[in-house]
Amino acid sequence: MPPVDGETALPGPDAGNFAGAWAARAEWCANTTGPEQPIRITTTTFEGYENSCRISQVRQANSAYEAVLDCTAEGTTTQERVRLRVVEDRLTLSWLDRAGSTSTEFVRCQAPQPEPVPIPAPEPTA
């Protein structure tokens, strides 16, 4: 796999479509702490509960992307390969180096919409 140089080096027309916040259940999207908070993925990072990873390599593999994660979790550094496949607002995450591991499905968390700001009516002119 060739190394990735930031967002501009990603292959494929939908590169980065995996970027965003993802939760195993839609109701977890609002959580900001604990194991039921969303994972957050950019084109260069993968952040989860008690782990932080740098995406050091990524390549397009058919309709998915395979990435190498350099992770630190609870003081331990590891390197793992994952497959990220997005269809609409669903992410299938597969851990390629874990024996007997199955894929995990996530839903995309929508960014919170700002509250509408009321626009005051203009003062009447005399």
Side-chain angles (χ1 to χ4, degrees):
M1 264 191 245
V4 170
D5 181 20
E7 296 180 18
T8 58
L10 285 171
D14 295 322
N17 68 352
F18 53 80
W22 301 89
R25 296 183 180 172
E27 58 268 21
W28 293 0
C29 287
N31 296 347
T32 58
T33 60
E36 295 176 350
Q37 66 182 304
I39 59 172
R40 300 194 186 284
I41 305 172
T42 70
T43 57
T44 58
T45 62
F46 182 105
E47 304 287 331
Y49 178 66
E50 296 184 343
N51 70 339
S52 176
C53 306
R54 182 176 69 86
I55 299 175
S56 60
Q57 297 177 22
V58 66
R59 71 178 183 91
Q60 189 169 2
N62 298 319
S63 62
Y65 289 88
E66 291 182 2
V68 175
L69 306 179
D70 296 324
C71 301
T72 303
E74 298 178 358
T76 302
T77 301
T78 60
Q79 187 175 75
E80 295 193 84
R81 293 180 315 124
V82 296
R83 180 174 295 121
L84 305 156
R85 183 170 186 269
V86 176
V87 176
E88 296 180 4
D89 283 339
R90 298 218 173 263
L91 167 70
T92 302
L93 175 65
S94 303
W95 298 93
L96 302 177
D97 297 326
R98 294 183 183 180
S101 178
T102 60
S103 298
T104 304
E105 297 282 328
F106 294 89
V107 294
R108 186 184 298 273
C109 297
Q110 301 301 320
Q113 299 300 312
E115 292 293 320
V117 177
I119 300 173
E123 295 288 326
T125 56

